[in-house]
Amino acid sequence: MKTPRHKISGRPTPSREIAELRVRAADAEETLRAIRANEVDTVLVAGKRGDQVFTLQGAEHAYRVLIESMNEGALTLTADKVILYANQCFAKMVKCPLEQVTGNSFRRFLSAEDRATLRPLIKRADQSGTKIQVLLNACDGSQMPVQISIRRLAKNGFNHAPVGLVVTDMTEARRNEEMLRALTHRVVQVQEAERGRVALELHDDITQLLCAVLFRSQALADKISARDGPAKKEAMKLREMLGQTAKEVERISSNLRPSVLDQLGLVAVLRDTSTEFAHRTGVPVKLACVQLTARLPADTELALYRILQEALKNVEKHARARHVAVRLTQQGSFIQLAVTDDGIGFDHPVRQKGKGGLGLLGMRERATYVGGTLKVSSVRRAGTEIEVRIPLPSDATAAIK
Ligand SMILES: Nc1ncnc2c1ncn2[C@@H]1O[C@H](COP(=O)(O)OP(=O)(O)OP(=O)(O)O)[C@@H](O)[C@H]1O
Ligand SMILES: [Mg+2]
């Protein structure tokens, strides 16, 4: 219990009045600090009709009702992680009677790995709070994915101050994440199958037809006498344009087909894709690749190829870049592909997450599917870098020089 100490009696002089006011201000400040730090349960105020007692029980009661009605677990821990207080919701989460939760160690509900991750966070916790996702081990042996918000309950530097935890059940969120992942994966699979089908139709039907038309236009040009100059010129021009169209259709078809990888190998395909992009857009691409003495796993090669295609498509569509660099490197047991441009960058990379396009989502999904990660870094008006890191099996690591 804290009692403010502001009673200075006697006739006031100006300097004494100032001193008295200072003491009162200091008192008020200290009282407020103590109330905020939960060190006060009663305030005693000296008045004309004697001392008046104000208890803060009313306010505490409201907080208790709030915490007990929360759909999240709430706990206070000692510095040694002993549970001082837990609400009913937490007891339900760990499927344990509340009496057995209070006084127990919080570590009991965590795996050894999660304990090690949580230890420094609890030690360093301050009043601004940190968050972490762990698995909660319930008393019946089941597990629940949760997010824990950690906050020290008293002033910084107060080493033994209790720590407050809010524990949120993430089961539903995880399930939604998994569903979204499965859906995105399905989209990528369907996209791959559809690309293969379109590539086949382009190759087997359109290219065949174009070749036939090309052949006949050549025959027509040959039939037109050299004396009929403009008509012959026009027929030759037509033949040339048809030749270009057939080439373009073949290019699109081979871009759509993953089988192009089988014929050329990863490095050659990355080189072809970069060269074709540079020729078509006029934006030079600097390519640097590690030497591969053997093929990487087919899934990994396909993921890297598709990510490069998609990243270059984005450069063409959005970046307004003057240069592009493509680097394929080995980092320990990982293969890494980075596509960097010096364009306008994203408006705001975080906000882009919710924006309509499928490109970035598809790239991330392709990386995740082969156990890798994708990192997007973008600086406004300075450019963008897409970096994918994929782990390699040990025999594939040996294939990199
Ligand atoms: N290299 C880049 N430079 C600048 N902005 C980019 C770059 N890559 C992507 N963006 C931004 O990120 C957004 C999302 O890209 P994403 O590839 O996911 O979608 P999209 O290209 O708009 O559509 P889609 O790929 O489905 O055709 C883009 O709309 C663009 O604003
Ligand atoms: Mg895109």
Side-chain angles (χ1 to χ4, degrees), residues 310-311 314-315 317-319 341 344-346 352 355-361 363 384:
E310 203 60 53
N314 275 352
V315 173
K317 210 167 142 188
H318 310 290
D341 71 62
I344 56 168
F346 287 22
Q352 297 298 334
K355 247 185 155 180
L358 281 178
L360 289 175
L361 206 67
M363 283 191 244
T384 301

Side-chain angles (χ1 to χ4, degrees), residues 71-317:
N71 274 331
E72 286 167 310
L75 307 156
T76 50
L77 307 186
T78 65
D80 299 335
K81 299 166 202 77
V82 173
I83 301 173
L84 289 173
Y85 165 81
N87 66 356
Q88 275 296 348
C89 182
F90 181 76
K92 267 194 209 149
M93 282 173 153
V94 289
K95 301 189 178 85
C96 207
L98 189 56
E99 321 72 83
Q100 284 176 32
V101 172
T102 316
N104 216 320
S105 170
F106 184 63
R107 281 175 293 204
R108 176 191 190 294
F109 303 107
L110 300 173
S111 70
E113 200 184 319
D114 284 340
R115 273 182 222 165
T117 326
L118 203 70
R119 196 176 306 126
L121 296 181
I122 290 192
K123 205 168 171 191
R124 285 199 311 266
D126 57 24
Q127 286 176 305
S128 60
T130 19
K131 285 180 181 165
I132 181 180
Q133 297 213 1
V134 295
L135 273 179
L136 208 60
N137 292 332
C139 292
D140 67 353
S142 61
Q143 289 191 313
M144 177 189 276
V146 293
Q147 176 174 277
I148 303 184
S149 306
I150 309 159
R151 192 178 283 263
R152 193 160 293 278
L153 294 179
K155 254 178 119 177
N156 280 342
F158 205 134
N159 276 344
H160 301 295
V163 174
L165 304 187
V166 174
V167 184
T168 311
D169 180 359
M170 299 298 282
T171 313
E172 191 66 25
R174 284 272 173 98
R175 200 175 298 135
N176 290 343
E177 255 171 43
E178 268 157 33
M179 269 167 64
L180 187 66
R181 163 134 320 136
L183 196 68
T184 325
H185 181 57
R186 185 82 195 109
V187 168
V188 170
Q189 274 182 328
V190 170
Q191 196 184 43
E192 205 57 66
E194 191 60 13
R195 281 177 175 180
R197 195 185 61 76
V198 174
L200 213 64
E201 280 188 14
L202 280 179
H203 183 70
D204 292 356
D205 301 343
I206 311 287
T207 311
Q208 305 298 331
L209 261 174
L210 275 172
C211 285
V213 177
L214 191 65
F215 182 73
R216 295 188 86 142
S217 69
Q218 178 67 58
L220 183 69
D222 290 346
K223 269 190 197 151
I224 298 173
S225 149
R227 270 174 288 149
D228 195 352
K232 187 154 182 99
K233 209 171 153 193
E234 196 56 30
M236 295 295 284
K237 183 77 193 151
L238 183 69
R239 203 210 75 88
E240 193 190 316
M241 282 170 72
L242 280 168
Q244 278 169 3
T245 311
K247 262 196 202 151
E248 182 62 10
V249 170
E250 198 41 43
R251 182 191 69 81
I252 295 172
S253 157
S254 89
N255 271 351
L256 288 171
R257 250 176 312 156
S259 61
V260 72
L261 266 173
D262 298 336
Q263 297 149 16
L264 302 178
L266 180 66
V267 172
V269 153
L270 298 186
R271 187 171 304 121
D272 260 33
T273 310
S274 306
T275 311
E276 187 276 318
F277 172 87
H279 280 159
R280 195 165 38 76
T281 61
V283 180
V285 180
K286 200 168 154 198
L287 178 76
C289 287
V290 274
Q291 232 181 314
L292 300 175
T293 55
R295 300 297 297 260
L296 303 182
D299 278 353
T300 301
E301 288 193 346
L302 182 60
L304 291 170
Y305 170 46
R306 291 301 192 208
I307 289 170
L308 176 67
Q309 280 185 318
E310 203 60 53
L312 289 178
K313 221 190 270 177
N314 275 352
V315 173
E316 186 176 357
K317 210 167 142 188

Side-chain angles (χ1 to χ4, degrees), residues 318-335:
H318 310 290
R320 286 187 249 151
R322 284 180 297 128
H323 304 92
V324 177
V326 177
R327 274 171 296 125
L328 182 73
T329 51
Q330 185 201 359
Q331 311 278 328
S333 57
F334 287 83
I335 185 99

